[in-house]
Amino acid sequence: MTSILPDATRLGPVRLRVSDGARTASWYQRVLGLVPRPGHAEVVSLGPHEGETLLELREVPGARPMPARGRVGLYHHALLLPSRADLGAFLEHLRANGEPFGASDHRFSEAIYLNDPDGLTVEVYADTPRDRWVWERGEVVGAVDPLDAESVLAAATGPWRGAPIGTSLGHVHFFVTDLAQAERFHVTGLGFAPVTRRFPGALFVSAGG
């Protein structure tokens, strides 16, 4: 199915309500290598050294951390790195600094998962080249396989120097109460196209494939 949205449709910045703005901003700078951008006094804007703003943090005193099993709303936001070499450098950076993370090979991408100070999941990933994606009956084939960490590390061509130029907001995932209702809203209403239903209890939609 083809999206009725333009192929060039892209996501804008993710706006997060956090319990401690300074603590969360420091984490995103130290771990992900984002840098502050000029903005309103009550909002911290973050992005790569050059490029667009990817995150906006608004402090809400008393905000509750994300529970272990999540709640309706944002599941995670995902930063797309320009290359597998960048992902390798990022992985080495995490290992060198003892930062806990999880990782998966989804076949169409290789991903690293972290939790920010409020328990929100952050994915940092690199796409597998699209000419290697496998499609069956109009759906991309994906998996949750272990990441070949040593192969990813070997792809690095230099040390991690913060989020590189070209880092973008690749996607967001949401917890929903009714998947069919969510599909009607995002597909029939907004015009996204389904890409895969192969992950249990989930639907992936996109613009431009």
Side-chain angles (χ1 to χ4, degrees):
M1 180 178 177
T2 302
S3 165
I4 66 172
L5 293 172
D7 287 355
T9 299
R10 294 292 180 268
L11 295 169
V14 168
R15 297 184 174 98
L16 302 176
R17 290 176 293 179
V18 301
S19 59
D20 186 322
R23 178 185 65 170
T24 301
S26 175
W27 186 88
Y28 277 103
Q29 291 175 74
R30 175 177 57 83
V31 178
L32 272 66
L34 301 178
V35 297
R37 298 289 170 75
H40 300 292
E42 67 275 13
V43 175
V44 178
S45 298
L46 298 164
H49 290 283
E50 295 183 34
E52 59 193 7
T53 295
L54 302 180
L55 298 176
E56 295 179 359
L57 309 178
R58 182 182 296 272
E59 183 174 308
V60 179
R64 295 175 296 156
M66 177 67 76
R69 294 180 62 83
R71 65 168 72 96
V72 171
L74 183 68
Y75 170 29
H76 73 231
H77 58 91
L79 302 185
L80 174 59
L81 298 179
S83 71
R84 194 171 192 250
D86 295 314
L87 189 67
F90 180 64
L91 179 55
E92 177 57 37
H93 161 70
L94 296 179
R95 283 188 168 185
N97 288 277
E99 191 69 31
F101 64 90
S104 290
D105 181 349
H106 296 304
R107 301 188 187 177
F108 48 75
S109 67
E110 293 173 300
I112 293 171
Y113 297 93
L114 308 104
N115 289 323
D116 79 5
D118 284 298
L120 292 168
T121 302
V122 183
E123 177 181 347
V124 179
Y125 73 110
D127 274 337
T128 303
R130 288 199 181 192
D131 60 7
R132 289 167 47 194
W133 290 12
V134 177
W135 295 81
E136 292 182 356
R137 296 185 295 278
E139 294 190 2
V140 68
V141 176
V144 186
D145 294 332
L147 183 72
D148 186 347
E150 298 311 313
S151 175
V152 173
L153 288 168
T157 56
W160 178 253
R161 302 187 185 280
I165 297 172
T167 300
S168 62
L169 187 64
H171 65 267
V172 291
H173 285 178
F174 296 103
F175 287 115
V176 299
T177 56
D178 186 317
L179 198 59
Q181 185 180 44
E183 179 174 356
R184 287 193 295 273
F185 178 82
H186 288 94
V187 176
T188 307
L190 296 183
F192 286 98
V195 176
T196 188
R197 305 172 191 272
R198 292 170 179 261
F199 295 88
L203 169 68
F204 286 41
V205 301
S206 80

